[in-house]
């Protein structure tokens, strides 16, 4: 499977034994043979899913990340250290929410200069604005 993340048409190319098989835009249903397809979709930061779907409707199998990739390391970390993974996930969400709560009013005030309005903002130190 080959994906160019800078391709705005979001084309996903399927290769089998090193030879090109098919191409489709995300979300893609790429025919492997008479018995299965590969369903794949891009997300903002990588692949949302890649799975082998059997045409007889029996089951589908998710592909595992390639060894040595960041997604493989993240999945292994999640299995080996579930508590730490949960803490990191919670911290990520907290930072995201704080950034939205504090920075969206700043952006609105910037736009308000052109349309003559302003909203209340949080008075935070400059280093915290940069960090968020």
């Amino acid at each position: 499977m080959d994906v160019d993340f800078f391709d705005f048409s979001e084309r996903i190319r399927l290769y089998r034994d090193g030879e090109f098989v098919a191409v489709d835009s995300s979300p893609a249903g790429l025919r492997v043979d008479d018995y299965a397809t590969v369903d794949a979709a891009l997300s903002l930061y990588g692949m949302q899913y890649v799975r082998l779907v059997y045409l007889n409707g029996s089951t589908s199998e998710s592909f595992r990340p390639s060894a040595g990739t960041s997604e493989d390391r993240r999945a292994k970390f999640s299995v080996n250290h579930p508590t730490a993974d949960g803490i990191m996930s919670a911290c990520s969400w907290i930072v995201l929410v704080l950034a939205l709560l504090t920075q969206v009013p700043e952006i609105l005030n910037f736009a308000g200069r052109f349309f003559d309005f302003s909203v209340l903002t949080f008075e935070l130190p400059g280093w915290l604005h940069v960090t968020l």
Side-chain angles (χ1 to χ4, degrees), residues 44-130:
L44 187 58
Y45 295 110
M47 297 303 294
Q48 184 175 4
Y49 60 85
V50 180
R51 57 184 170 235
L52 183 67
V53 178
Y54 296 101
L55 296 178
N56 63 8
S58 61
T59 59
S60 67
E61 301 174 25
S62 292
F63 282 59
R64 297 188 42 82
S66 297
T69 63
S70 59
E71 183 59 26
D72 178 52
R73 289 189 296 274
R74 189 214 57 81
K76 286 178 183 175
F77 183 82
S78 177
V79 169
N80 296 332
H81 309 286
T83 303
D85 184 59
I87 291 169
M88 287 175 58
S89 177
C91 289
S92 297
W93 278 104
I94 289 169
V95 168
L96 177 64
V97 169
L98 286 175
L100 286 173
L101 290 175
T102 60
Q103 302 305 304
V104 168
E106 296 285 339
I107 293 169
L108 289 174
N109 280 339
F110 179 75
R113 293 179 193 167
F114 303 108
F115 301 107
D116 197 29
F117 74 87
S118 68
V119 296
L120 293 175
T121 60
F122 296 96
E123 293 299 322
L124 299 175
W127 65 267
L128 187 55
H129 275 294
V130 170

